[in-house]
Amino acid sequence: MYDSACPGPNGRDFAPKTSVLDGKSILVTGGTGSFGRKFVMNALMRHSPRRVVVFSRDELKQFEMRQELTERLGPERMKVVRFFLGDVRDRDQIGRAHV
């Protein structure tokens, strides 16, 4: 199995130097669910997105997620994260969340 963190033949490193998420604005719908939480954590720990918008209907879960992320990543890294309450069935709310 190929591991992108390991050097290739002749000691050359074939791992990408930048990520497709670096510098991007990311909208995560269902952001406080199990997949959304894991995705956001990984995106913030392994990449350098310009902005991450966590979009969900549950205010309490957003509050808890904000606390957990701040504890694990620190307040400086959290400057790129924005939480937005809403429902994906409301197209206008999605548009406002990603502005």
Side-chain angles (χ1 to χ4, degrees):
M1 182 161 100
Y2 176 73
D3 181 0
S4 63
C6 295
N10 303 323
R12 293 179 54 193
D13 183 7
F14 292 101
K17 301 299 180 209
T18 60
S19 160
V20 295
L21 299 179
D22 289 350
K24 301 293 196 253
S25 180
I26 304 166
L27 172 65
V28 184
T29 60
T32 58
S34 58
F35 176 82
R37 290 174 79 96
K38 191 68 166 175
F39 177 84
V40 170
M41 179 65 75
N42 283 324
L44 293 170
M45 290 177 67
R46 298 178 183 193
H47 308 282
S48 298
R50 181 174 56 86
R51 176 177 53 192
V52 177
V53 178
V54 178
F55 187 86
S56 74
R57 296 183 297 172
D58 193 323
E59 189 173 4
L60 177 59
K61 285 184 181 178
Q62 285 189 10
F63 174 78
E64 293 169 346
M65 185 175 176
R66 182 189 309 269
Q67 286 186 312
E68 177 188 358
L69 288 171
T70 302
E71 287 175 16
R72 293 188 70 184
L73 302 172
E76 186 64 29
R77 191 72 182 117
M78 289 298 293
K79 289 181 179 179
V80 300
V81 181
R82 180 175 166 207
F83 289 86
F84 196 92
L85 285 171
D87 191 309
V88 295
R89 295 174 287 190
D90 186 335
R91 181 176 283 175
D92 292 336
Q93 283 182 330
I94 294 174
R96 288 189 300 270
H98 204 52
V99 172

